Amino acid sequence: MEGGTLRAGIVDNPDHLDPGLSYTNEGWEILEATSNGLLTFKKAAGGAGAEIVPDIAASMPKVSDGGLTLTFHVRPNVMFSAPVSRPVKPTDFKDTIERLFRVDSGGVGFYTGIAGAARYAKTRKGGISGIVADDAAGTIAFHLTKPDGTFLEYLAMPFSFVVPKGTPDRDISTIPRWRVATGPYMISSYVPRDHITIVRNPSFHSWTPDTPDGHLDAIEVQIGVTPERAVNEIVDGSLDWYFEQVPPDRLTELKARYAGQVHLYERNNVTFFTLNIRKPPMNDLRVRKALNYAVDRQALLKVFGGQGSTTENIVPPGLGTSYARHEFYPRDVARARQLVGQSGTAGMAVQVWASNTDPQPKAAQYLASVLDSLGYKATVKTLDEGVYYDTVAAQRSDPQVSYNDWNQDFPEAEDFLDTMLNGERITNVGNSNNSNLDVPSLNQAIDAARAMALGDARNAAWARIDATAMRDQAPLVPFLTRGFPKFSSARLQGLVFNGTYFELFPSMWLSR
């Protein structure tokens, strides 16, 4: 059960291997094996994987001041790997969070509720006053501006995985000196567009069952492996595991021939096209509604090989009572054309962006055909997967329409609605509100829901916000809650799918 090298493939470079900057599934899967935070989601599948447990924190925090202060004790002797080679300190965690603001991380919005964070976001001087770290006492306290029922979940996300104080304020993905690990594995080599080598971290010792040692000796990730090539190499025995899902047109065949090697993972996901309300013609509500009426969601489901279920919700059904299915936009092409005619925008040029990983280009081409049918002059622009999401999240790029999919950062509807629709979150880079929607009444409703205690009332508020946003603003064209079938080699065992960290490398092992 112990040892061996996992042979893995990935379609393109992960967006980043820097905890402060990574915001894709591929990056988080790697960082989960190399890095740690104060807290973690339990390394388990299903509902158990949503439980928050201590990681580098010795226990769950002491909560005081009516929920405004959370104080943690940091475990002694959790080590940073070489060349830092010293214990993690509370001040490392303080600097980790502050660094998010200095590097324009896409995750900064999760931490703006800390007292002093708003000022620091503007000045980037003097530190965040609401984070008080005491290395001598081994404690770190977070003082919040108001109680936040999901703040503990933010501390379990990779954005808050600790990096050593003094880590440069730039992407450290390709800087070995600062690509420092605390977890069971470390990245020993990363050559973009070629490979990533992950090996055991000799400084690691397991301090809790929720931070387990790994079984594999190493993971060799080859970059540039297409989904079709991955299937063929797994079949011939030269590849064990692939970051991406099965190509839609191969799933039926693989399930029939290799049933034990096909794994059907359900993620809390929504797949959609973003409509940028700052860019004509998408700045016209009638056009945004027209696209929602005109799209055949069943046709898009077929583009994705039937892997999932159609939706026009933003919140996925896996989030329980936060999800209340609505159907404001039954397919009605005549109604769509009427709205476009009323808008006076027919004939305008519209460009649809997507990554070059199948089936995204096909989905973009489908939407372009819909735009053409409504009287627009549509084109498609594709970018390499490794740069796509950073590019569409930057205001300097600002595409009119872009393909996106969102998988949970943490298991709560806030992660979908606040992150993607709250105008207070709009940033110049790392912008997760790609539609640039900024409606004061909607922002206020989101903020009010965030302040509520976890439970049924809060869930009902999220369901109302989902409906209001799609009915009154239509900033997105949600079309699919995706399934993610994966295909792996017969010798790969111990697969565990976690809703936030995805497949867990430390749980994997190779049969002899």
Side-chain angles (χ1 to χ4, degrees):
M1 182 172 172
E2 299 297 322
T5 296
L6 179 75
R7 302 161 303 180
I10 191 171
V11 70
D12 201 349
N13 303 326
D15 64 334
H16 302 278
L17 294 178
D18 180 331
L21 292 171
S22 180
Y23 212 167
T24 61
N25 310 340
E26 297 83 1
W28 283 23
E29 285 177 276
I30 293 171
L31 291 169
E32 185 279 327
T34 65
S35 306
N36 301 85
L38 287 165
L39 302 174
T40 185
F41 291 106
K42 196 172 185 66
K43 305 302 172 63
E51 181 184 353
I52 302 169
V53 293
D55 194 353
I56 297 180
S59 62
M60 297 302 286
K62 176 185 177 182
V63 181
S64 57
D65 300 332
L68 294 178
T69 300
L70 296 87
T71 304
F72 295 88
H73 284 269
V74 175
R75 295 180 193 272
N77 301 319
V78 173
M79 298 294 293
F80 285 120
S81 65
V84 173
S85 301
R86 65 163 174 81
V88 175
K89 301 176 182 179
T91 48
D92 293 312
F93 281 104
K94 176 177 170 66
D95 193 66
T96 292
I97 302 300
E98 292 171 347
R99 179 175 177 267
L100 298 178
F101 293 83
R102 301 196 300 267
V103 299
D104 293 315
S105 168
V108 292
F110 297 113
Y111 307 94
T112 52
I114 302 171
R119 184 195 65 80
Y120 189 70
K122 296 177 181 178
T123 66
R124 303 190 183 188
K125 295 180 180 178
I128 297 176
S129 59
I131 305 177
V132 180
D134 186 335
D135 287 347
T139 61
I140 182 167
F142 295 90
H143 300 278
L144 308 182
T145 57
K146 55 187 176 184
D148 186 343
T150 49
F151 187 73
L152 296 181
E153 294 179 291
Y154 307 158
L155 294 180
M157 292 165 57
F159 292 119
S160 57
F161 284 177
V162 68
V163 296
K165 184 177 181 180
T167 297
D169 295 336
R170 62 182 187 276
D171 187 0
I172 61 171
S173 299
T174 57
I175 307 176
R177 167 70 177 83
W178 290 105
R179 209 170 48 222
V180 178
T182 53
Y185 293 97
M186 58 189 291
I187 300 164
S188 64
S189 176
Y190 173 35
V191 178
R193 298 189 176 278
D194 189 76
H195 75 275
I196 304 167
T197 300
I198 302 167
V199 300
R200 285 189 179 273
N201 173 9
S203 301
F204 177 80
H205 64 278
S206 180
W207 51 84
T208 165
D210 294 307
T211 307
D213 201 350
H215 305 295
L216 301 166
D217 288 331
I219 304 160
E220 288 285 355
V221 182
Q222 185 176 358
I223 300 170
V225 180
T226 65
E228 188 69 25
R229 176 182 160 192
V231 168
N232 295 335
E233 292 188 356
I234 290 170
V235 168
D236 70 24
S238 59
L239 195 71
D240 295 308
W241 186 83
Y242 189 55
F243 279 82
E244 313 302 332
Q245 62 271 18
V246 171
D249 59 357
R250 299 292 300 273
L251 182 59
T252 300
E253 165 208 349
L254 295 174
K255 287 171 69 175
R257 295 181 60 191
Y258 307 98
Q261 294 169 236
V262 176
H263 313 279
L264 302 175
Y265 295 128
E266 293 294 331
R267 297 181 180 178
N268 285 327
N269 160 275
V270 61
T271 302
F272 56 97
F273 290 103
T274 301
L275 310 180
N276 187 346
I277 68 170
R278 290 181 179 175
K279 289 292 186 74
M282 300 306 156
N283 59 343
D284 192 310
L285 175 60
R286 291 168 295 191
V287 176
R288 302 196 300 272
K289 288 191 171 187
L291 273 178
N292 272 283
Y293 278 119
V295 161
D296 184 346
R297 290 172 168 83
Q298 287 293 333
L300 281 164
L301 176 61
K302 290 179 182 177
V303 169
F304 284 81
Q307 299 174 12
S309 57
T310 60
T311 189
E312 66 170 55
N313 284 67
I314 301 170
V315 174
L319 292 179
T321 56
S322 297
Y323 170 83
R325 185 175 179 87
H326 49 72
E327 296 180 345
F328 301 127
Y329 302 104
R331 189 162 188 247
D332 189 338
V333 177
R335 174 66 176 145
R337 289 176 176 155
Q338 181 184 37
L339 288 167
V340 170
Q342 292 171 357
S343 74
T345 62
M348 292 184 66
V350 180
Q351 192 170 64
V352 182
W353 289 39
S355 94
N356 60 1
T357 301
D358 284 335
Q360 293 183 29
K362 295 175 184 175
Q365 289 289 354
Y366 169 78
L367 190 67
S369 72
V370 172
L371 285 159
D372 286 338
S373 74
L374 296 177
Y376 296 105
K377 298 174 181 177
T379 56
V380 171
K381 179 183 178 70
T382 59
L383 298 175
D384 287 347
E385 177 94 4
V387 300
Y388 175 74
Y389 292 100
D390 276 353
T391 303
V392 298
Q395 296 291 357
R396 67 179 179 272
S397 307
D398 229 16
Q400 292 161 292
V401 181
S402 56
Y403 168 92
N404 278 288
D405 62 70
W406 194 268
N407 298 291
Q408 74 169 45
D409 302 315
F410 56 93
E412 223 259 336
E414 175 191 327
D415 181 40
F416 291 79
L417 298 171
D418 179 47
T419 306
M420 292 195 289
L421 300 182
N422 194 334
E424 298 161 3
R425 284 188 174 275
I426 296 172
T427 56
N428 287 326
V429 295
N431 181 28
S432 297
N433 182 348
N434 295 154
S435 69
N436 292 305
L437 185 70
D438 189 4
V439 178
S441 60
L442 189 63
N443 298 344
Q444 291 164 12
I446 292 170
D447 291 343
R450 286 185 63 190
M452 297 173 72
L454 296 177
D456 291 342
R458 177 177 170 123
N459 291 346
W462 291 129
R464 288 193 298 271
I465 291 167
D466 187 343
T468 299
M470 284 304 302
R471 183 187 63 234
D472 298 346
Q473 301 300 329
L476 315 173
V477 182
F479 60 88
L480 183 65
T481 299
R482 291 179 67 183
F484 285 79
K486 304 291 285 284
F487 180 53
S488 62
S489 75
R491 71 176 193 146
L492 179 56
Q493 307 295 321
L495 291 175
V496 176
F497 178 77
N498 178 275
T500 292
Y501 305 133
F502 312 105
E503 289 94 333
L504 304 179
F505 282 122
S507 297
M508 297 180 188
W509 53 280
L510 301 170
S511 60
R512 300 300 184 184

